[in-house]
Amino acid sequence: MPEHTDKRLVRILHLEDSRVDHALVKFALQRSQMNCQLTLVDTLDDFRRELASGQHDLVLADYHLPGFTGMDAWEQAHQNGIDIPFVILSGAIGETAAVDAMHRGVSDYLLKDSMNRLSHVIERALEVSETRRAKARADAELADSRRRLAELAEHLQTSIEQERADIAREIHDDIGGALAAVKLDLSWVARRTVEADMRQHMDTALEMLQHALGASQRIMMNLRPPILDQGLVAAVQWLGTSFEQRTGLRVHVRRSSEQMDVPRDVQLVAYRTAQEALTNVAKHAHASAVEIDLSDREGVLTLEVSDNGRGMSADALRKAKSFGLLGLKERAEKVNGWLDVSSSGRGTSVILSVPLGGSGTPSNHQEDPHDQGDFV
């Protein structure tokens, strides 16, 4: 074949038992000025050997060959995991066979009496194949990027939790201890003060100091909730109660049982999900009441935090800076769970679902007197 240096060389493996038809293919491609190199084989053994060499860009195969068909050759390539454009060139393939070949993954087919279109069919098959390979590479790169991003997110979450624990420990050991000591000293001075003005100042200082102690304890609980040692139910109930006291919003906590056998990492994910959802309620919802439903029925831990506020628009849910929700979704995925957020004009619901893998205990539902009726 004549070579044209301004065009890419296309190496074609031609599976054909007729030397005349092979010569016609060479002539047709020569007339179209395609820069190509043809290698002729006429047996499956030769076809497999040449295909395994990896030296070819495209297979051009006759359909009817002695003892086998072009589709048999296609199956050989497919079974060996060789991704190469495959074009059937036949004198009479039949519509049914042609449709079947295309469904099974053959790039294209062409009748031998349309040989003038051969170069176009080959170029199109090569372009489609390259596009598919480029997409596969892009998909692989995207999957790798997502994997590395998930690993980074997991590392960041672990680092954040460790940093929170360190800060909570410092607050408890240093700030908390210092405030408690100052309170004792002020109380000692206040008991020995007889002047009214001085006593009033001491009482005010003690009141502010008590407020600082309460704030430090609340910050410690938010940073590293030791109440999780008492179980997820107790932690969520404490979270709802403290949120109600802090914001004045009515909070109603429902649970399927008093104790739930939930792994520690899942407990932390559920706790942080409830914490973030309540934070969003306080910031954005303009709600008057919140419901928290916690269940471990049917081997799935489900946490739902819903409010009766103004809701969120679809754009707000999709906005690029919704890092809180994105972080919750990443946390859920790390424990093989998922997070759903739904919203309307009547409020927003954040739902976390995590399969417990048989670790959850059967739920014998026990109604608490405080669970009856409306929000409390």
Side-chain angles (χ1 to χ4, degrees), residues 36-152:
C36 60
Q37 173 184 308
L38 271 75
T39 301
L40 178 65
V41 292
D42 57 7
T43 67
L44 270 180
D45 289 339
D46 290 343
F47 175 77
R48 281 192 292 263
R49 185 185 66 253
E50 287 291 337
L51 199 61
S53 71
Q55 299 298 314
H56 306 285
D57 302 310
L58 177 138
V59 172
L60 183 65
D62 190 9
Y63 188 80
H64 297 288
L65 294 129
F68 65 100
T69 69
M71 291 310 301
D72 294 328
W74 156 252
E75 287 296 336
Q76 289 288 325
H78 183 67
Q79 290 173 6
N80 292 330
I82 299 175
D83 182 18
I84 187 171
F86 201 103
V87 176
I88 295 291
L89 179 65
S90 179
I93 186 174
E95 183 177 352
T96 302
V99 171
D100 176 66
M102 297 295 288
H103 282 170
R104 290 165 67 179
V106 168
S107 303
D108 209 339
Y109 74 94
L110 182 69
L111 298 178
K112 289 183 177 179
D113 56 7
S114 301
M115 199 79 75
N116 60 312
R117 298 181 54 245
L118 181 58
S119 62
H120 172 71
V121 170
I122 289 175
E123 289 172 352
R124 183 175 62 187
L126 290 169
E127 290 174 1
V128 170
S129 177
E130 181 56 35
T131 300
R132 186 178 67 253
R133 289 173 181 171
K135 182 179 182 301
R137 289 193 297 269
D139 289 343
E141 291 173 1
L142 180 60
D144 183 63
S145 176
R146 285 176 173 170
R147 178 187 58 77
R148 287 186 282 110
L149 182 61
E151 290 175 353
L152 174 61

Side-chain angles (χ1 to χ4, degrees), residues 225-300:
I227 197 169
L228 278 174
D229 295 334
Q230 302 178 30
L232 181 60
V233 175
V236 171
Q237 287 178 320
W238 175 85
L239 196 60
T241 300
S242 61
F243 179 80
E244 184 177 64
Q245 293 173 349
R246 188 171 68 255
T247 64
L249 301 181
R250 292 172 294 164
V251 179
H252 185 201
V253 179
R254 299 189 186 93
R255 63 273 191 192
S256 62
S257 60
E258 290 300 324
Q259 293 292 331
M260 298 181 184
D261 187 8
V262 180
R264 178 71 184 190
D265 56 343
V266 178
Q267 288 186 27
L268 188 57
V269 169
Y271 181 88
R272 292 302 185 199
T273 299
Q275 189 179 45
E276 179 68 22
L278 290 174
T279 299
N280 287 337
V281 170
K283 288 182 177 179
H284 310 295
H286 297 277
S288 62
V290 180
E291 287 188 355
I292 302 177
D293 289 299
L294 186 63
S295 171
D296 63 345
R297 292 191 177 99
E298 299 180 0
V300 177

Side-chain angles (χ1 to χ4, degrees), residues 178-193 202 206 209:
L179 289 175
V182 171
K183 182 181 178 182
L184 288 174
D185 288 340
L186 285 178
S187 298
W188 185 87
V189 173
R191 287 195 300 270
R192 287 159 177 76
T193 299
M202 295 300 297
L206 284 169
L209 192 57

